[in-house]
Amino acid sequence: MKIHKNDNIIVITGKDKGKQGKVLKAYPAELKVVVEKINVSKKHLKPTNSAPHGGIKEIEMPIGISKIMVVCPHCSKPTRIGHKITGENKNVRICKLCKETVDQI
């Protein structure tokens, strides 16, 4: 999976199309990620001792990686991610548009 934690992304399809956020968690086995303030659901809480009136809590739900693209930190555009092996035999992620390094793996 080419999308990692702390990547800045943009949603390209769905109800949150056009919104940007930061990846909080990645689930590579399910090909999903959790992004802050995107794909928010409401969870109803029962009354407990700590919250005597109960309430409604908003939580971020996982979103499929096919619905998002990484925003390149250099050119600030949504881009696909490629891989490149540097001279020190390190595998780095690169932006397909500007060919700059996104970050190291």
Side-chain angles (χ1 to χ4, degrees), residues 1-14:
M1 192 165 84
K2 298 179 180 179
I3 298 172
H4 298 159
K5 185 177 177 179
N6 294 328
D7 281 346
N8 288 321
I9 60 99
I10 187 167
V11 180
I12 57 173
T13 184

Side-chain angles (χ1 to χ4, degrees), residues 8 20-25 34-40 60:
N8 288 321
Q20 291 190 4
K22 185 171 132 180
V23 176
L24 301 176
K25 286 185 180 179
V34 174
V35 183
E36 65 180 352
K37 298 180 185 170
I38 294 181
N39 199 20
V40 177
E60 291 103 0

Side-chain angles (χ1 to χ4, degrees), residues 6-7 13 16-17 29-30 35-36 45-46 52 59 61 66 72-73 76-79 82 84 93 96 104-105:
N6 294 328
D7 281 346
T13 184
D16 294 322
K17 182 177 180 177
E30 300 160 7
V35 183
E36 65 180 352
L45 302 174
K46 288 184 177 182
I59 57 172
M61 299 299 288
S66 63
C72 176
S76 300
K77 294 180 182 175
T79 183
K84 180 179 178 182
R93 298 187 304 158
K96 289 278 192 164
Q104 293 187 0
I105 296 175

Side-chain angles (χ1 to χ4, degrees), residues 18 56 81 100:
I56 300 173
I81 297 294
E100 291 290 327

